[in-house]
Amino acid sequence: MSRPRAKMTNNFPGCPVETTLSFLDGKWKGVILYHLLVDGTLRFSELRRRLQAVTQRMLTKQLRELEEQGLVVRTVYPVVPPRVDYALTPLGQSLRPVIMVLEQWGSRHVRCEDGQRLLVTPDAIENEASAA
């Protein structure tokens, strides 16, 4: 049985791409990091509203993994009801260029129409630019 990729970060054969992707491994981690980069510190409930398709359990799991990896810091305030904030650490902030390039690529190459995702090829982008 193979070990999860997240558990193998110390055993990679030296490939920096694979190591970097291991920190973003998981359906929601990149999206969580994006929202924390764009919006700053967010409460759990605010993150949940931004990621409507994620379950509470999955969001909690992904946030814990990001915290263990040193990308996110969790601050618990001793108030009733409990308040928990999430923010990026300096290491998490250092992923800004990576996350923003992913955002730019998605903005250029993915269109949502009638509830479906459509990929836009570079040729189609050039044709749109020529027509304008």
Side-chain angles (χ1 to χ4, degrees):
M1 184 160 134
S2 65
R3 291 184 294 165
R5 192 181 313 179
K7 305 282 186 205
M8 296 174 44
T9 53
N10 293 332
N11 300 320
F12 286 133
C15 175
V17 173
E18 190 173 7
T19 303
T20 303
L21 287 175
S22 74
F23 287 95
L24 303 176
D25 194 23
K27 182 175 181 178
W28 300 104
K29 286 183 185 177
V31 181
I32 292 167
L33 292 170
Y34 172 76
H35 285 291
L36 291 174
L37 277 168
V38 171
D39 301 321
T41 301
L42 293 171
R43 295 176 73 173
F44 183 87
S45 59
E46 292 170 322
L47 276 167
R48 182 91 193 275
R49 275 192 292 276
R50 284 169 173 76
L51 287 73
Q52 294 182 2
V54 70
T55 64
Q56 183 170 335
R57 181 175 183 245
M58 181 54 71
L59 180 56
T60 300
K61 180 180 184 283
Q62 299 281 275
L63 285 166
R64 282 184 186 153
E65 289 178 14
L66 288 167
E67 187 180 8
E68 286 174 14
Q69 293 167 333
L71 300 176
V72 170
V73 63
R74 177 178 187 254
T75 306
V76 180
Y77 295 93
V79 295
V80 177
R83 177 181 164 197
V84 179
D85 285 348
Y86 293 91
L88 293 175
T89 63
L91 184 61
Q93 286 284 349
S94 72
L95 283 169
R96 176 178 292 279
V98 176
I99 301 296
M100 298 318 288
V101 166
L102 290 172
E103 188 270 338
Q104 291 168 3
W105 188 91
S107 294
R108 287 190 75 184
H109 296 284
V110 181
R111 300 268 159 67
C112 296
E113 294 176 7
D114 299 324
Q116 294 187 352
R117 284 185 294 189
L118 304 171
L119 290 177
V120 180
T121 64
D123 294 338
I125 293 171
E126 286 178 23
N127 292 340
E128 285 178 16
S130 298

